[in-house]
Every structure is written in structure tokens, then in C-alpha cells.
Amino acid sequence: MTSFTHLFYTMNFYSDETYISWLDQLAENDYVIIDDFISEELFGMISTYFEKRLNENDLAKAGIGALGGYTVDKQIRGDYVYWLDESKDNALQPFFNQMNELVVKIKRFCFLSISDLECHLAYYPKGSFYKKHIDQFKERNNRILSFVLYLNPDWKPEHEGELIIYKENDAVKVSPIKSRLILFKSAGLEHEVALTFNERLSLTGWMLNNPVGLGFL
Ligand code: OGA
Ligand code: MN
């Protein structure tokens, strides 16, 4: 197989109607859940890469905030992250291609100006959580949409560790099952990661309306 056909078969392609139906749900409910967003092959590629980063101890304790307010607090979040860089993490190119395609459709159908993506692998050890929060920083409000791609092949209800989304008087529980993508509005939507009774893997990111670097000027 040449690398072109390899990349081609790794990516799931969706019709504009499909994108529009997802984006309608996002507009109406502030979030949308897309099951089987990625192909089996892409799931395998991301999982292999994730395992390598874990084995090489490349993940770091996640912090809270941006700019001078950045702190690490285990009482708030207990995950470990590895920030991805499209120009360096080449093994994940098919993933970036698929997200970039989603961004193109969001710009076209939602008239949002998204100019950049930032994303990381996230590893929650057993017994960790992320307390209720919103994804926009006080110091930097350029996160427009958040996404989480879950990478847990054998998730069971007793593992808990759900994403809980708070909407008005509702709490919606989303299980972190393999290849499920959730996309939600970064501003205003409170959410948390419930205490997890199993290791919990995800690829989490944000669509930004300013280049990443500007937040740090
Ligand atoms: C985050 C977050 C949710 C999840 O990293 O900001 O809220 O389900 N993650 O992993
Ligand atoms: Mn969050």
C-alpha cells in the first residue's frame, strides 16, 4: 500500500448532510455526541501512539489556567497530558486530517472563524477526576469549541469516569467509549469528569479563534 492510499483508507468520510445534522445538534443543545467518529484503523493508530508516549513517560501532570495563573492542583484534576503538534506528531496525520475536515465544515456551516487547533492526549489513572469547570480561561478566551475523542475499547458502566455536562437543571452523563467524539461549546458549558474506576484515555482539544501563541503574548 502506498502512503496515500494508506491515509485515504484510514479516514472516515462524511457527507455534508451528516455534518449539518451534527452541527444543528451542536447549535441547539450546545453539544453533540458522534459515535464511531473514527475508523477502526485510525483508532488503532492513535492507541499505538498513545501507548508509546506512555511507555516513554512523555505525559506530564495537567495544570489549570493559562499565562501567569497556570497551576497544578490534584484536588481539581488528576490527569496527565501530552500536547500534540501537527508538525511533529506525524504518526497522527490522519487524525489531524479528519479534524481539519471537521473544522472546514464548521467554518462553512456555522460561520465561525476558527484559525487553530490545540489538543493533547489525556490519561486519567484509576481514582482520578476533573472537577466541574468551563474550558475558557479567564486570561485567554479564544477557545470556541471543545472536543474529546474517547479511546477506551472496553469501557464498562462500573468504571464510571463519565463526562458530566451541566445544562440548566440537567446533568447529562457521557460514557467515554471507544471512538466516540463529543463536541461542545467551550464558553459557558460547565462539565466535569467523574471519578474513574479504570484507566481512562482520550484525545482532547479545542478549536481556537486566534492562533495559540497569541494567548501567551
Ligand atoms: C477537559 C475535559 C473531558 C473529558 O480536558 O477540559 O473537560 O471527558 N475533559 O475528558
Ligand atoms: Mn473541560
Side-chain angles (χ1 to χ4, degrees):
M1 218 165 26
T2 67
S3 73
F4 174 76
T5 52
H6 183 68
L7 291 181
F8 187 81
Y9 285 114
T10 303
M11 207 173 139
N12 275 352
F13 287 93
Y14 298 106
S15 66
D16 279 356
E17 286 70 26
T18 301
Y19 282 108
I20 289 167
S21 79
W22 294 339
L23 297 174
D24 278 348
Q25 291 176 63
L26 174 66
E28 180 152 334
N29 303 324
D30 300 335
Y31 70 91
V32 56
I33 295 168
I34 304 167
D35 280 330
D36 299 313
F37 179 67
I38 54 169
S39 68
E40 273 297 308
E41 195 183 0
L42 185 48
F43 171 76
M45 285 173 86
I46 300 172
S47 300
T48 303
Y49 196 66
F50 206 138
E51 208 177 305
K52 215 168 171 177
R53 299 279 69 83
L54 280 171
N55 289 339
E56 293 178 17
N57 276 318
D58 288 337
L59 280 75
K61 197 80 206 55
I64 310 146
L67 301 165
Y70 185 87
T71 52
V72 170
D73 185 343
K74 268 177 94 165
Q75 301 309 311
I76 297 181
R77 67 185 292 190
D79 58 326
Y80 293 77
V81 302
Y82 173 82
W83 285 96
L84 296 168
D85 179 340
E86 182 168 355
S87 68
K88 295 203 183 95
D89 297 297
N90 299 315
L92 297 185
Q93 196 54 54
F95 164 76
F96 287 111
N97 293 348
Q98 187 151 348
M99 284 319 289
N100 291 337
E101 180 78 359
L102 179 60
V103 168
V104 165
K105 303 298 176 175
I106 290 172
K107 287 160 85 166
R108 181 172 309 156
F109 298 126
C110 303
F111 307 105
L112 287 175
S113 68
I114 295 163
S115 58
D116 218 338
L117 276 186
E118 58 181 5
C119 51
H120 60 53
L121 303 175
Y123 170 79
Y124 286 76
K126 265 185 212 179
S128 61
F129 52 81
Y130 191 166
K131 285 276 160 74
K132 199 196 262 193
H133 65 280
I134 61 165
D135 282 354
Q136 275 205 352
F137 297 121
K138 286 193 197 80
E139 310 85 349
R140 161 161 97 80
N141 62 0
N142 63 338
R143 288 178 167 179
I144 304 300
L145 294 173
S146 307
F147 63 85
V148 190
L149 174 66
Y150 297 109
L151 302 166
N152 308 292
D154 301 308
W155 199 261
K156 298 194 172 57
E158 60 267 31
H159 297 155
E160 302 187 18
E162 296 93 352
L163 168 68
I164 307 174
I165 294 175
Y166 295 93
K167 280 212 63 190
E168 286 116 40
N169 296 321
D170 254 11
V172 184
K173 281 192 174 183
V174 183
S175 295
I177 61 172
K178 170 190 170 183
S179 298
R180 166 176 281 173
L181 182 83
I182 179 158
L183 184 62
F184 59 94
K185 297 181 187 172
S186 302
L189 198 65
E190 283 192 306
H191 57 281
E192 72 174 279
V193 176
L195 178 66
T196 180
F197 291 89
N198 201 16
E199 295 184 329
R200 180 189 194 273
L201 306 182
S202 61
L203 196 171
T204 303
W206 296 273
M207 298 177 190
L208 312 174
N209 72 352
N210 273 316
V212 180
L214 287 182
F216 297 97
L217 284 178

